[in-house]
């Protein structure tokens, strides 16, 4: 078929059908001349012949369409199009769409406005997360800074000649400075792990060795808490691809959390096992479980525990020197290893944090 510069509805329909985003061709009378499958799916309607306004019912999108139609009637050329945000609510989720309405050139045989809709929910969500993150970091930084500034003031003034008070204040200031430095190093680890998340580690590591080294490093805290840690090793465990420092970080945080929040149970069990299959993993894996017998965690908190700065009890976490970033870091490191991280807990009985890492 020879190609002519004058398009018709059939050609245009074929083009629209090939577009991944929902698209409509709307005529001067606001009737829908053409709709592609993505648009029919979005509005769950056949659309052809219907009034566009009954689908673009919100004021902003309707106004954008009308401005584009007015531009079309005035014979406007080369207009960039008119944009609006549109909200689409379904029983399961709220979608935010960016609507663009572009007047088409009438002499090419298509008097109408091309309306495209793009789902921008994830962009908006990411922006919201970034704003929340900045607000959280600022909030976490402010409290130790306030304490430091207050004590500096006191040391310069009322407590200047009081050595006992000075010593006591310096201890508090040291603790707050350490809190800020932990926060900064956790933020740095988080950003490093996130940026490396797509690159799977290739070095081979022994999880038995990682667990033994982590337990040795935590020995003073374990003894101080008066706890018993039972480590059930798997001597024949193969080495797996992994980043040793990051895996130490994972188990350090999980065991430290068990010490901090599960101490009332008296005992912590750490185990290493081989599992042949797990949902979400393609082959055999090594599974490390850290189990405490403390108070446990209410089920409503479980899905959110790996969010940055999410804590069940903020006061308790801060009093223990926590940053609220530990489990977020754990989740990202496990993802980078293509592994699986699960949390189970029963109120009054304790919690089990499990990390499964693929053998190959
Ligand atoms: N073993 C546990 N038992 C009870 N609660 C826990 C346990 N581990 C973690 N949590 C809860 O999860 C929160 C987040 O843990 P984490 O991300 O490591 O931050 P942090 O330890 O710095 O508070 C903790 O503040 C605590 O409320
Ligand atoms: Mg922690």
């Amino acid at each position: 078929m020879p190609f002519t510069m004058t398009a018709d509805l059939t050609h245009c329909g074929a083009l629209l059908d090939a577009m991944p985003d929902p698209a409509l061709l709307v005529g001067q009378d606001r009737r829908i001349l053409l709709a592609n499958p993505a648009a029919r799916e979005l509005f769950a309607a056949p659309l052809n012949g219907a009034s566009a306004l009954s689908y673009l019912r919100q004021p902003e999108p309707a106004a954008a369409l009308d401005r584009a139609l007015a531009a079309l009637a005035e014979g406007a050329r080369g207009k960039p199009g008119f944009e609006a945000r549109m909200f689409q609510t379904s029983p399961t989720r709220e979608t935010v769409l960016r609507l663009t309405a572009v007047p088409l050139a009438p002499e090419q045989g298509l008097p109408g406005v091309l309306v495209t809709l793009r789902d921008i929910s994830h962009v908006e969500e990411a922006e919201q997360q970034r704003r929340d993150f900045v607000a959280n970091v600022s909030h976490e930084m402010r409290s130790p800074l306030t304490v430091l500034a207050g004590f500096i003031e006191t040391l310069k003034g009322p407590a200047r000649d009081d050595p006992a008070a000075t010593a006591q204040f310096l201890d508090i200031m040291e603790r707050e400075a350490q809190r800020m430095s932990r926060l900064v190093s956790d933020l740095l680890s988080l950003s490093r792990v996130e940026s490396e998340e797509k690159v799977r580690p290739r070095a081979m590591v022994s999880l038995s060795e990682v667990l033994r080294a982590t337990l040795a490093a935590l020995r003073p805290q374990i003894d101080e808490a008066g706890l018993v840690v039972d480590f059930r090793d798997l001597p024949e465990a193969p080495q797996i691809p992994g980043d040793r420092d990051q895996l130490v970080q994972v188990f350090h945080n999980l065991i430290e959390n068990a010490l901090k929040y599960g101490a009332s149970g008296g005992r912590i069990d750490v185990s290493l096992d081989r599992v042949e299959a797990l949902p979400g993993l393609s082959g055999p894996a090594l599974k490390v479980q850290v189990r405490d017998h403390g108070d446990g965690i209410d089920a409503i908190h479980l899905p959110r525990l790996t969010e940055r700065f999410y804590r069940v009890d903020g006061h308790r976490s801060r009093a223990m020197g926590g940053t609220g970033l530990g489990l977020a870091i754990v989740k990202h490191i496990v993802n980078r290893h293509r592994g699986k991280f699960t949390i189970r807990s029963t109120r009054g009985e304790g919690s089990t944090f499990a990390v499964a890492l693929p053998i190959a």
Side-chain angles (χ1 to χ4, degrees), residues 256-283:
E256 191 181 47
N257 281 353
L259 293 170
K260 291 197 297 189
Y261 310 112
S264 61
R267 192 179 91 243
I268 294 169
D269 304 310
V270 178
S271 58
L272 176 61
D273 294 285
R274 184 187 166 107
V275 286
E276 293 312 319
L278 268 186
L281 292 186
S282 54

Side-chain angles (χ1 to χ4, degrees), residues 6-26:
T6 311
D8 61 24
L9 280 184
T10 322
H11 294 122
C12 184
L15 270 180
L16 288 200
D17 285 357
M19 284 170 62
D21 285 336
L24 309 169
L25 180 67
V26 180

